[in-house]
Each structure stands twice: as structure tokens, then as C-alpha cells.
Amino acid sequence: AQSVTQLGSHVSVSEGALVLLRCNYSSSVPPYLFWYVQYPNQGLQLLLKYTTGATLVKGINGFEAEFKKSETSFHLTKPSAHMSDAAEYFCAVSDAGGYQKVTFGIGTKLQVIP
Amino acid sequence: DTGVSQNPRHKITKRGQNVTFRCDPISEHNRLYWYRQTLGQGPEFLTYFQNEAQLEKSRLLSDRFSAERPKGSFSTLEIQRTEQGDSAMYLCASIDASLSGGAGNTQYFGPGTRLTVL
């Protein structure tokens, strides 16, 4: 069984400040890890993903995440927040084989303060 | 390639009525997934298809729910005798599972259908 824990359902940062959204996962097999972003009344857009190889993954809009197996973490960061980053962010895990069902966390709503 | 599309985008219905949603995946994507997202929660897996075969259904999918993908292209999700607890965003996603590695693991989501049951 897989699960994802997102620490902090709401995070507020000032414009220009560091964004850090935390995600810990549990998986009995090597995981594939994802971050998705959702804007109000829209579907989910993939920000970045880790499958194999390099543990530091760069995504769109200046976001990146680092897979740390020893800490079972996949935290999302961005050096400088922009107003347009305000959205809800979901961390997700799927198994590397099988049918690739994705299990999502409950989401973290990011507020950017001008 | 126009992405995953879903129709309708919004549906308001009265309790007890039947509703049907449609999902058109990215062309040539052989796997199609349905998720449900309630307020303040992440999406939860409902069911998925490999081509036209429905390979798994979540326990969340009660007998009132049925999904089809008759020709291995678009899919429909029907809810019979809707209840207020069915109010949610219903999301569809597709992937090309024939691709190896990470490319075959990226689910592309549609904009969702928001259902409100009065």
C-alpha cells in the first residue's frame, strides 16, 4: 500500500520568499513521485516527477524537488515565490510497476502575500 | 493533441436523478483513469481502463456507479440515484502505458466535471 503525507494544509509566504512544501511518502516498492498543481476549478497540471536517476528534479515554473530515500521525502521548493504561484499543490506516489495507480496527498494550499 | 477533455464541466442535479459524464483522453492513450475529488481533499482513485477493459474498481465505487469505455477511446461515468454525498469534482486522466520508464507514468488530467447534488 502507498500513502502520502503533506505537512501543512495551508502555507503562506511573502512574494519573493522561499517556497517549501513538504511531502513524505510510504511505499513498499520503489516509488514514482509527482507534484501536481491545481488552480481553482481546474484539473491538475504536472509540475515535476521523479522516476529513476537523478534525485534532484526540476520542473516547470522554477519549481524543483529532491527525492530522499532515507527520509522518504519529496519536498517541493522554489527560491522566490511569485503571486501566480498561489494555488493548491498535491504530492502523489505510484508504484514503479503495476498499473500505475496514483495516490494523492490531501494537498497544500499556497498563499502568496504581496 | 488537444489534451484530455471532459464534459460537462459543471452539472447540477437533484437528488435521485441519474447523471453521466464523458471523458475524451489524449488520442492513442491506452489507459484511462477516473478520480473523485471532494472539497479539501486530494483526488481519490475510482477505476481505470486498459483499452476497453475495466481492470480495477475502488471500493469507493458503489453499485450506483458504472463506467464504460466501449471502444477503447472515450469513457463515460454514470451515477444512478444521485445522493448529496456524490457532490464532488470528477477527474479523468490518461496515459500511454506502452511507453517505458517515466514517460509511461505521467497521467495527464482533464479539467474535471464538478457535480452538485441538491
Side-chain angles (χ1 to χ4, degrees), chain A residues 32 34 36 38 41-46 49 51 88 90 94-107, chain B residues 9 31 33 35 37 40-43 45 48 56 89 91 95 97 101-107 109-112 114:
Chain A
Y32 283 9
F34 308 84
Y36 283 87
Q38 186 176 37
N41 297 313
Q42 294 189 25
L44 282 79
Q45 180 183 8
L46 181 69
K49 64 183 179 186
T51 54
E88 190 153 23
F90 293 93
S94 75
D95 60 31
Y99 53 83
Q100 302 149 335
K101 181 183 78 171
V102 178
T103 300
F104 288 86
I106 64 169
Chain B
R9 294 291 309 277
R31 283 195 186 160
Y33 298 76
Y35 293 84
Q37 185 179 19
Q41 299 294 321
F45 169 79
Y48 92 103
E56 181 164 342
M89 175 82 89
L91 295 164
I95 66 172
N105 255 291
T106 301
Q107 295 193 13
F109 282 81
R114 181 168 294 283

Side-chain angles (χ1 to χ4, degrees), chain B residues 10-14 19 114-118:
Chain B
H10 303 274
K11 179 71 177 178
I12 300 174
T13 190
K14 292 182 178 179
V19 294
R114 181 168 294 283
L115 172 67
T116 302
V117 182
L118 302 175

